[in-house]
Amino acid sequence: MPSLPETAFGCLGTAGLAMAVTVMMSPAAALHRRPRRHRVVLTAIATAASFAALFYLQGPSRTWIPVLFATACGCAAASAVLDILIGRIRDICSLVIALSGAAAAYLSATWPMSVLAASMSIAVLLLARQLTSNRTHGTSIGWGDILFAGACGTWLAPGTVPFALLAAVAATGGIAFARSHVTRRRMPFAPGIAAGYGAVLLLQNFVTLLE
């Protein structure tokens, strides 16, 4: 079992990496000088750092997996920020999340389950996109959201994907309610996906530790 100084260093290191990646991958955030926009960025940075540190405490601290997860956290937080600020998700962020998830799955010998979870995420959102588009005669879920969810899905077990999607929808609804008095613009889905998938992953790890 790692010593207390080693654990503290690991938590701070992974949290710092997540924060650095968030800032590096969301350069458009610097263009917004409104205080409200800065709060969005700071919240995303703090959330990414917290998720990375918690994962380090739960996971295999002596492998590269916490480093990969911290990198994925930073990219997910950057995607959430950019989706809120400019309504776009950078494909490079989704690619890094997918590659880091695939690498972590390879290191833990769970890559078939990782591929299945990612495929399930994409398939469900594609179906939801088709159904809602038929009803509204418009596009409700963008391709960026679908690919982003698939990338985040590489970190999950297939059995937790339905819970992650429900958590993503619930988080998006909560964010929409909080923002309803501020703006009537489209509601970004990336923040909900990042929060929902991240929370379910941490819960999945916690349950595994109890078994």
Side-chain angles (χ1 to χ4, degrees):
M1 183 176 181
S3 62
L4 182 59
E6 183 181 350
T7 301
F9 179 78
C11 286
L12 291 175
T14 51
L17 176 59
M19 294 168 67
V21 173
T22 302
V23 174
M24 182 178 66
M25 299 299 283
S26 54
L31 301 177
H32 295 269
R33 295 181 171 82
R34 299 176 186 175
R36 196 184 304 279
R37 302 297 190 183
H38 290 165
R39 286 198 292 270
V40 170
V41 178
L42 292 176
T43 299
I45 291 174
T47 303
S50 300
F51 276 38
L54 287 172
F55 184 88
Y56 180 88
L57 291 174
Q58 294 178 330
S61 58
R62 296 186 183 277
T63 72
W64 284 97
I65 294 179
V67 174
L68 292 170
F69 182 72
T71 303
C73 274
C75 288
S79 295
V81 167
L82 293 175
D83 201 18
I84 291 174
L85 297 184
I86 62 176
R88 292 183 57 192
I89 299 175
R90 295 181 68 189
D91 291 337
I92 186 63
C93 289
S94 297
L95 179 61
V96 171
I97 295 170
L99 291 177
S100 61
Y106 176 78
L107 290 173
S108 57
T110 59
W111 66 266
M113 297 296 98
S114 175
V115 172
L116 179 58
S119 301
M120 288 174 61
S121 297
I122 293 174
V124 171
L125 288 186
L126 278 175
L127 178 61
R129 171 190 168 97
Q130 185 63 37
L131 292 175
T132 54
S133 296
N134 290 340
R135 281 180 169 272
T136 62
H137 303 289
T139 302
S140 59
I141 303 175
W143 284 107
D145 296 321
I146 294 173
L147 295 177
F148 179 60
C152 293
T154 59
W155 284 92
L156 295 179
T160 61
V161 169
F163 301 102
L165 289 169
L166 288 174
V169 172
T172 301
I175 296 171
F177 179 79
R179 284 166 50 94
S180 60
H181 66 286
V182 177
T183 178
R184 295 182 180 276
R185 295 174 58 192
R186 60 170 287 276
M187 186 59 222
F189 196 19
I193 294 173
Y197 275 61
V200 168
L201 174 61
L202 293 178
L203 181 60
Q204 170 186 300
N205 289 345
F206 179 72
V207 171
T208 301
L209 289 175
L210 294 180
E211 293 177 349

